[in-house]
Amino acid sequence: MDTPQSASPTLALEEHRAALAGRTLIELFAADADRFSRLSLSWDHWLADWSKQRLTSQAMDALVAYAHERNLPAWISALFSGEKINLSEGRPVLHTALRQQEDTPLLVDGSDVIAPIRAAQARVRTLAAQIRGGLRLGATGRPLRHVVALGIGGSDLGPKLVCDALSPPRSDRGDGADVAFVSNVDPEHLTRALAGLDPATTLFIITSKTFTTSETLANAHAARAWLARALGAGGALAAHFVAITGNDEAARAFGIAGADILPIWDWVGGRYSLWSPVGLPVAIRCGWDAYAELLAGAASVDAHFREAPLEANLPVLLGLVDFWNARLMGYPQRIVAPYAEALKLLPSYLQQLTLESNGKSVLRDGSPVDGPTAPALWGSPGTDGQHAYFQWLHQGTSTAAVEFIVPVRAAHPLGEQQSMLIANALAQAQALMRGKSLDEARAEVARAAKEVPRAAAEALAASRVCPGNRPSTMLLLPELNSRRLGQLIALFEHRTFVEGVLLGINSFDQWGVELGKALAGPILAALKSGVEPADADASTRGLAAHVNALIRPR
Ligand code: F6P
């Protein structure tokens, strides 16, 4: 599907960017009374507003044309049909099949993948019900009521985000089980999670597609040792473990019973695996119905993504804006500010999704890209961010595109506070766009301090100026529940894919993470033995020597 041209933007896009030079967002709104309606889209009671981004409706039209030139419709079809679009690993990319609502078979290398997905879903549902009902018993015959999920990256971030976003307050948890997540190899992480837990009633879920990830295996072995110290070693401990993996052999070698090993297929990328049995902690913590609703919400976005024309397709249009900001505007950062405490883990989830997908520097054919690819993504919930990094957003020296994500209807009786939350989100986007002029600042200073010498007043005014013209997108969703959260995550998955297609890169491998893992081996050996790391640079040798001196005082 790749067209011969390089992935660099067409001349038309460059011309649209040049036409923007010197024009502020305020001026763009003044020049086009229909700007908001042209640069926003409503879909399924969502409203996405990118009219405060630094582009014109003509530029959007050119982006849609560029998407057609880059064969985006064909790429979308290839994604859903199981073509091996993960070129460097020779795999299909079928996280969409995991949430397919129909039982229509889907063939990969001649074998249907839907039936095995349904079988795995049935096992997830049964296991979650057993645990929630106190029917899964441990080595001592007592129900396993506390779950500790061990995994990292895509084997952790998705279920952790959903559990945190949807889990009912502790008092309302009903018959759900407590689920804690441990990802870091830092022993403090597991120690904190195990504090106060009774080994006799604790179940560990080991989630690892490869079952080779060092952090997860280290935590798994530490967990088993913790159990053995209390319950004694031996086969009965197997009742305290479930594995979710693509490496059945390694899980059995660890000592997990075959019946307690749930699959992850190789056509599911780690950062796209929430919809696979990796989502088991969600079904345990929130119930199967909530997990099914999450899948259904994602499936509704899939249908929209497959069927809507590019110019009326929400993930496509948002992906085009992402591409414009990354490649044409060259913004090096992208801020995600969810105005919902329940979405506090969303920025971390989106970091892996977007940066492991599009944080790359070669095209699909291996040639170097000829421009910026994914910007850094970070953020944290509003309104707290307004008291932390928003100063930088308003008066700093670099420009970052901000994404406000606002569930409108709250699940709480505190109506006034929800209105305050939303008013702040809309006000921040407005402030970023319009800024505060020097004249406005002067008038403010004059009102605040009557008798100030002119030179001092001018300095005070200058410190209050906000340049404005700072871009943002506002995503309003009706409320935050399982279905809407599934829609939100799928929306970001597909817009990330759209951006990758236009950048000309493979969004589904992550070779960049391998080097650090390989280099950690000899350094770990040196720290264990107290000698210098082999074949290391002077800095690494010096650092290791300092560490050894601290952990082995003479
Ligand atoms: O970060 C690299 C990575 O391979 C991710 O893509 C993946 O989600 C994570 O490590 C965990 O991998 P596994 O599920 O195989 O333990």
Side-chain angles (χ1 to χ4, degrees):
M1 274 167 295
D2 262 337
T3 47
Q5 74 196 44
S6 79
S8 59
T10 59
L11 190 59
L13 294 177
E14 299 283 357
E15 287 172 352
H16 283 286
R17 182 189 57 183
L20 273 172
R23 300 184 69 192
T24 66
L25 285 167
I26 295 283
E27 288 164 348
L28 292 172
F29 273 100
D32 177 0
D34 297 326
R35 182 178 172 81
F36 169 70
S37 61
R38 292 178 204 271
L39 299 179
S40 61
L41 183 71
S42 292
W43 171 78
D44 192 17
H45 304 293
W46 286 71
L47 174 63
D49 170 17
W50 58 93
S51 63
K52 296 191 185 79
Q53 290 285 354
R54 288 168 61 181
L55 44 69
T56 60
S57 52
Q58 294 81 359
M60 278 308 286
D61 294 344
L63 283 164
V64 170
Y66 184 65
H68 279 295
E69 281 179 47
R70 303 293 294 158
N71 296 321
L72 180 60
W75 279 103
I76 294 173
S77 300
L79 173 75
F80 284 95
S81 64
E83 275 190 47
K84 295 182 177 176
I85 60 173
N86 177 355
L87 300 174
S88 71
E89 296 180 304
R91 292 173 179 169
V93 175
L94 277 172
H95 45 282
T96 51
L98 297 167
R99 62 233 189 176
Q100 180 178 304
Q101 300 291 291
E102 307 76 24
D103 290 333
T104 317
L106 176 61
L107 301 187
V108 172
D109 292 335
S111 302
D112 171 41
V113 299
I114 300 301
I117 291 171
R118 291 286 180 267
Q121 286 172 338
R123 292 178 61 201
V124 167
R125 182 172 191 169
T126 300
L127 184 52
Q130 273 183 346
I131 294 162
R132 288 168 61 85
L135 303 176
R136 172 102 181 189
L137 308 180
T140 65
R142 292 167 61 193
L144 300 176
R145 300 297 293 167
H146 300 283
V147 175
V148 179
L150 307 176
I152 197 164
S155 293
D156 165 71
L157 290 165
K160 185 163 64 178
L161 162 65
V162 175
C163 283
D164 187 66
L166 299 180
S167 59
R170 187 173 295 278
S171 58
D172 304 347
R173 189 160 292 157
D175 61 357
D178 271 331
V179 177
F181 291 87
V182 175
S183 51
N184 203 323
V185 76
D186 176 348
E188 187 64 19
H189 204 176
L190 183 63
T191 302
R192 290 185 180 192
L194 297 181
L197 292 188
D198 179 347
T201 60
T202 300
L203 172 73
F204 291 95
I205 299 176
I206 303 171
T207 302
S208 177
K209 182 176 175 183
T210 58
F211 220 88
T212 60
T213 303
S214 60
E215 298 95 326
T216 304
L217 293 183
N219 279 319
H221 286 290
R224 184 163 60 188
W226 178 77
L227 288 171
R229 285 193 294 275
L231 307 176
L237 290 188
H240 294 261
F241 287 98
V242 167
I244 302 165
T245 184
N247 189 341
D248 192 271
E249 182 185 350
R252 289 172 188 272
F254 179 84
I256 296 172
D260 290 330
I261 300 173
L262 295 164
I264 306 175
W265 298 275
D266 70 4
W267 37 260
V268 178
R271 54 192 173 275
Y272 297 90
S273 63
L274 166 64
W275 326 98
S276 76
V278 167
L280 173 63
V282 177
I284 294 170
R285 171 84 159 263
C286 304
W288 173 260
D289 291 347
Y291 183 58
E293 269 302 289
L294 187 85
L295 298 179
S300 70
V301 170
D302 293 344
H304 171 64
F305 186 46
R306 288 182 89 160
E307 294 155 11
L310 300 191
E311 62 275 12
N313 191 311
L314 187 53
V316 167
L317 293 169
L318 291 173
L320 295 182
V321 174
D322 295 340
F323 171 75
W324 172 266
N325 282 344
R327 177 52 65 86
L328 277 296
M329 303 306 284
Y331 297 147
Q333 302 185 62
R334 189 175 161 198
I335 314 298
V336 172
Y339 270 64
E341 195 61 21
L343 292 178
K344 66 178 179 293
L345 299 182
L346 181 65
S348 298
Y349 179 83
L350 295 180
Q351 273 181 342
Q352 187 201 18
L353 175 64
T354 61
L355 299 183
E356 273 202 358
S357 294
N358 294 342
K360 304 204 175 131
S361 49
V362 294
L363 299 176
R364 286 186 284 267
D365 65 6
S367 60
V369 295
D370 55 1
T373 54
L377 184 147
W378 57 276
S380 60
T383 57
D384 295 52
Q386 298 170 204
H387 304 269
Y389 58 92
F390 273 55
Q391 160 60 37
W392 171 80
L393 284 173
H394 289 290
Q395 290 188 326
T397 53
S398 55
T399 299
V402 184
E403 187 111 359
F404 294 90
I405 300 170
V406 188
V408 174
R409 292 191 288 259
H412 297 291
L414 304 175
E416 164 70 10
Q417 289 186 222
Q418 183 68 13
S419 301
M420 287 169 66
L421 182 67
I422 296 168
N424 272 278
L426 272 56
Q428 289 298 324
Q430 187 183 26
L432 286 168
M433 174 183 71
R434 51 163 288 183
K436 183 185 294 180
S437 68
L438 184 55
D439 286 344
E440 289 172 315
R442 284 173 178 146
E444 198 176 276
V445 169
R447 287 193 298 274
K450 296 298 180 196
E451 302 305 319
V452 175
R454 178 171 172 69
E458 197 62 0
L460 289 176
S463 66
R464 297 178 184 219
V465 169
C466 293
N469 206 32
R470 302 209 162 173
S472 68
T473 289
M474 186 68 67
L475 268 185
L476 301 181
L477 54 157
E479 62 269 307
L480 184 62
N481 55 30
S482 307
R483 180 179 180 78
R484 297 298 184 184
L485 184 55
Q487 290 182 326
L488 177 65
I489 295 171
L491 192 58
F492 272 90
E493 286 178 342
H494 291 322
R495 66 191 280 191
T496 300
F497 172 54
V498 168
E499 183 189 46
V501 169
L502 269 64
L503 289 169
I505 60 181
N506 174 2
S507 297
F508 301 107
D509 59 12
Q510 55 285 324
W511 296 106
V513 304
E514 297 308 322
L515 178 59
K517 291 180 188 177
L519 293 178
I523 295 171
L524 176 60
L527 298 184
K528 280 180 171 177
S529 58
V531 300
E532 275 196 357
D535 305 327
D537 56 276
S539 166
T540 304
R541 290 202 309 273
L543 294 169
H546 185 75
V547 169
N548 277 326
L550 285 173
I551 57 181
R552 289 183 181 75
R554 296 189 189 293

